[in-house]
DNA sequence: GCGCTTCCATACCGATCAATATAGAAGCGG
DNA sequence: CCGCTTCTATATTGATCGGTATGGAAGCGC
């Protein structure tokens, strides 16, 4: 009933590329946060007028959710790929190095879109925060399953708790995102990854 | 010249306690962030009318800086105290447990005021973010000096890099703050502290 | 008690926010 | 070429933002 999503193209066709516009919106949300990104900034970066944005995406919150979909689609890709490493140490190494390159890429904004939106916020972003936190649970669950298998494989020392190591690794990832967003140079974060791996228990 | 800071009390005395009002403001900033905290929320929580707030504190940004002073005064207290532990491991343990209790206290908001304001934000909070990031450097420097001494004391293994361990510990602290702000239960964070300490190198 | 100073309360300011009404321009099927 | 649909462009909506002007109430020194 609403937004029939590109029917058989009746009437004047739209003049901009929805994917490109969404990618531009993601860049703004990533560098400013949901509340910090005004519609004026968004429309300018997207090269789209305000009514066009509302016709194509619904409203600001729906636009953010679509941008979050795009972000997680890419992020989850490398996350899933990392899980295929042969050992738990290999999984941690891939996740850390991939997160490092993602959070310090010269092109895009620094830091992590999810981390940005999982800390304190105003009233209008409460539901955004809740969704981001909820989505993170699925990544954690996948990592948890992989580490459970790793324990069976004997990757950890006797008595190690896979859940605790998931928590530990996620904490370092999120801390790294905070530092990247604070402007800590890439070399320092490479040092952080090296330190973490040197302390990683088991194989 | 401006704000003669409580002269010999001429005229009508103010009816509210400045310290209590500032403490209430800190609570709002802590749970909502600088941009997320509106003046209406602040004045209501502080029990102070808008003009009184401006007369006593200047403006919103000045109020935040005073609240940040108050916050860091308490936080730096336990940080300095932690540095007096006899070994690097003891320092890490005290910092982690103190941060844990601070970020998950039942009374106050969860998470860390500084971490909240060191991620992405809108234009109006850029200077706030810059200040928070700058202030963190002093904490890091103090910890760095302590770990340099620890290396001299032989607390670390041969070839360990104190600067890298400072980076590592700060990262875990910040990641823990993100998790606390996301609603991760206290027991999980206690588990995180235990894991971190079990992996800590040296004594 | 008087006068001066300072504080509190209400109402208001311009700016900006997200969201839309209106109207003209552009492409399709017939 | 016509009529219908859907696009874009401008201007505007009501609400809220941070910040203040105005006026009356309250306490001090004298």
């Amino acid at each position: 009933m609403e937004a029939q999503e590109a029917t058989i193209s009746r009437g004047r066709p739209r003049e901009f590329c929805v994917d490109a516009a969404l990618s531009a919106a993601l860049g703004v949300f990533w560098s400013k946060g949901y509340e910090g990104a005004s519609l004026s900034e968004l429309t300018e970066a997207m090269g789209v007028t305000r009514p066009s944005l509302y016709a194509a995406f619904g409203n600001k919150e729906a636009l953010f959710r679509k941008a979050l979909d795009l972000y997680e689609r890419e992020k989850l890709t490398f996350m899933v790929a990392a899980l295929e490493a042969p050992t738990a140490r290999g999984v941690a190494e891939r996740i850390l190095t991939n997160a490092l390159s993602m959070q310090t890429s010269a092109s895009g904004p620094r830091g992590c879109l999810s981390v940005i939106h999982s800390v304190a916020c105003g009233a209008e972003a409460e539901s955004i925060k809740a969704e981001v936190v909820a989505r993170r649970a699925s990544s954690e669950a996948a990592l948890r399953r992989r580490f459970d298998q790793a324990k069976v494989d004997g990757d950890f020392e006797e008595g190690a708790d896979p859940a605790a190591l998931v928590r530990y690794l996620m904490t370092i990832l999120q801390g790294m995102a905070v530092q990247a967003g604070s402007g800590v140079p890439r070399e320092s974060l490479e040092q952080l990854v090296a330190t973490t791996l040197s302390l990683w228990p088991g194989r």
Side-chain angles (χ1 to χ4, degrees), chain A residues 65-84:
Chain A
R65 286 175 197 271
K66 290 190 169 72
L68 185 59
D69 288 337
L70 173 60
Y71 178 80
E72 298 216 317
R73 211 175 305 140
E74 300 174 357
K75 204 177 75 169
L76 287 204
T77 294
F78 89 66
M79 190 74 160
V80 168
L83 297 185
E84 295 172 356

Side-chain angles (χ1 to χ4, degrees), chain A residues 24-176:
Chain A
L26 171 58
V28 177
F29 283 131
W30 197 343
S31 69
K32 301 293 186 71
Y34 177 76
E35 289 173 302
S38 72
L39 276 181
S40 300
E41 287 175 292
L42 287 166
T43 52
E44 186 180 5
M46 298 165 76
V48 165
T49 62
R50 208 169 283 227
S52 299
L53 189 156
Y54 276 81
F57 300 102
N59 60 14
K60 187 186 179 184
E61 181 165 345
L63 174 63
F64 179 84
R65 286 175 197 271
K66 290 190 169 72
L68 185 59
D69 288 337
L70 173 60
Y71 178 80
E72 298 216 317
R73 211 175 305 140
E74 300 174 357
K75 204 177 75 169
L76 287 204
T77 294
F78 89 66
M79 190 74 160
V80 168
L83 297 185
E84 295 172 356
T87 65
R89 173 184 293 275
V91 171
E93 179 172 0
R94 287 198 199 180
I95 289 179
L96 285 168
T97 54
N98 282 329
L100 172 68
S101 69
M102 188 159 196
Q103 290 174 8
T104 63
S105 89
S107 62
R110 298 172 61 94
C112 169
L113 185 68
S114 299
V115 169
I116 289 169
H117 294 91
S118 55
V119 295
C121 60
E124 69 166 333
E126 291 284 354
S127 67
I128 296 289
K129 172 179 171 181
E131 168 140 358
V132 168
V133 170
R135 289 197 191 196
R136 183 152 57 222
S138 77
S139 301
E140 287 193 25
L143 184 58
R144 171 66 189 277
R145 285 191 295 273
R146 180 63 186 86
F147 276 9
D148 281 340
Q149 181 58 43
K151 182 164 178 66
V152 172
D153 296 344
D155 288 353
F156 302 132
E157 296 148 14
E158 200 67 29
D161 180 356
L165 287 169
V166 168
R167 174 77 48 207
Y168 169 77
L169 183 55
M170 294 296 292
T171 301
I172 291 178
L173 283 174
Q174 289 162 19
M176 188 165 75

Side-chain angles (χ1 to χ4, degrees), chain A residues 7-26:
Chain A
T7 80
I8 320 101
S9 109
R10 223 168 30 176
R12 176 178 176 181
R14 99 170 13 112
E15 290 179 358
F16 64 94
C17 170
V18 174
D19 289 348
L22 184 59
S23 178
L26 171 58

